[in-house]
Amino acid sequence: MEINRKDSLELVLLAALWGASFILIRYAVPEFGPFSLILVRVGLAASLLLPVLIARRQFPVLKAHWFHACVVGLFSSAVPFLLFAYAMMSVTGSFASIVNAGTPIWGAIIAYLWLGESMTRNRVFGLLLGVVGVVILVWGKLDFGDQGLGFPVLAVLGATFMYGIAASYTKRFLHDIPPVVTATGSQIGATLSLLPFGIYFWPDAAPSGAGWIAAMVLGFASTGFAYVIFFRLIANVGPANTMTVTFLIPLFAAVWGAMFLGEVITIRMMLGALTIFLGTALATGFLSRRKTG
């Protein structure tokens, strides 16, 4: 499908919103803690998406597929969002967003093992190249001592792995379900699963006004509203073109991080990012589509 100017602007907006999510988490998580912040995030997203679902008269579809939608919520939202929130108490949003760009690589591996999807020579080379990029990023950071970044780095990698599981689970059990149904159900499921933990770990000190603003922007804009744009792009330009947003997210995360949190992009991060982007492009067939398109 062709991408017109309006679709291109929406694609850039989506990348900006999802890139901002890493910076918003890093800003707000020290005040809320991981459980409470992510509860606010998915709860606000669910409250925004549910009226959209009802307006489209697709609530009966959600009722019929609620179990699988909730399982997707665990793997696509509750667990990975928590892992990112925990990690970004120690690592920068820019670093996390670059590692996150390798999510399609996990998706390709899991789809091959679980769904039996084909694995071409280019895809295998792309997967290996993507792994090299991740190694470049995390080399020297896997120190599991008291001051080490080993566990936060593993949390970021674990989050991308969860996204890969969610993608294959969705394709296996919800492939013919409207995306807005899956997204709404996943956010509701994530909210319900996190509710007792978010309440139990609610911070003793009330978060500041700025912290609440960051959490609300994270939930409403970078999650709920971003999903609405995501679904519209899938319908207008197709899933393959929509997933090119993966390459733009780290750019915006780096810009937002530098502007608002003073984050610095190192040469190693740039080299790792370029390697991951190239590996992801090969593993997902993006380069092949561009050559034949």
Side-chain angles (χ1 to χ4, degrees), residues 114-138:
W114 186 5
L115 305 179
E117 291 192 359
S118 62
M119 191 68 73
T120 64
R121 192 181 329 180
N122 276 352
R123 174 169 279 196
V124 172
F125 180 70
L127 294 176
L128 294 175
L129 195 60
V131 171
V132 171
V134 172
V135 170
I136 292 173
L137 276 178
V138 306

Side-chain angles (χ1 to χ4, degrees), residues 11-191:
L11 192 68
V12 173
L13 176 59
L14 180 61
L17 290 171
W18 277 348
S21 68
F22 292 92
I23 309 307
L24 292 167
I25 290 173
R26 189 160 187 253
Y27 182 85
V29 72
E31 296 190 38
F32 283 86
F35 283 102
S36 298
L37 177 62
I38 301 308
L39 172 61
V40 171
R41 177 181 186 177
V42 296
L44 292 177
S47 70
L48 182 65
L49 287 167
L50 186 57
V52 175
L53 182 78
I54 294 173
R56 294 186 179 186
R57 300 181 179 178
Q58 293 177 337
F59 189 74
V61 182
L62 176 58
K63 288 178 63 177
H65 299 276
W66 67 269
F67 176 77
H68 290 308
C70 287
V71 172
V72 170
L74 287 176
F75 288 108
S76 71
S77 297
V79 177
F81 288 177
L82 277 175
L83 290 173
F84 273 123
Y86 160 73
M88 279 186 282
M89 296 180 75
S90 304
V91 302
T92 66
S94 303
F95 173 87
S97 70
I98 293 171
V99 177
N100 179 68
T103 294
I105 295 174
W106 277 120
I109 294 174
I110 294 171
Y112 170 73
L113 296 174
W114 186 5
L115 305 179
E117 291 192 359
S118 62
M119 191 68 73
T120 64
R121 192 181 329 180
N122 276 352
R123 174 169 279 196
V124 172
F125 180 70
L127 294 176
L128 294 175
L129 195 60
V131 171
V132 171
V134 172
V135 170
I136 292 173
L137 276 178
V138 306
W139 190 263
K141 295 182 181 293
L142 294 179
D143 178 1
F144 295 93
D146 292 340
Q147 303 299 320
L149 296 176
F151 289 113
V153 170
L154 287 183
V156 173
L157 293 172
T160 62
F161 177 70
M162 291 295 167
Y163 285 148
I165 293 177
S168 285
Y169 190 97
T170 301
K171 190 167 186 178
R172 173 69 176 81
F173 296 106
L174 297 170
H175 66 280
D176 56 347
I177 304 302
V180 69
V181 174
T182 302
T184 305
S186 69
Q187 298 308 295
I188 293 174
T191 300

Side-chain angles (χ1 to χ4, degrees), residues 186-207:
S186 69
Q187 298 308 295
I188 293 174
T191 300
L192 294 176
S193 65
L194 290 173
L195 188 60
F197 301 100
I199 293 175
Y200 182 80
F201 290 105
W202 193 263
D204 294 328

Side-chain angles (χ1 to χ4, degrees), residues 249-281:
I249 293 173
L251 173 62
F252 280 98
V255 171
W256 300 143
M259 286 176 60
F260 297 107
L261 299 179
E263 293 184 355
V264 178
I265 303 297
T266 65
I267 297 297
R268 176 187 291 188
M269 289 172 65
M270 293 175 61
L271 180 59
L274 290 173
T275 309
I276 290 175
F277 294 167
L278 181 57
T280 300

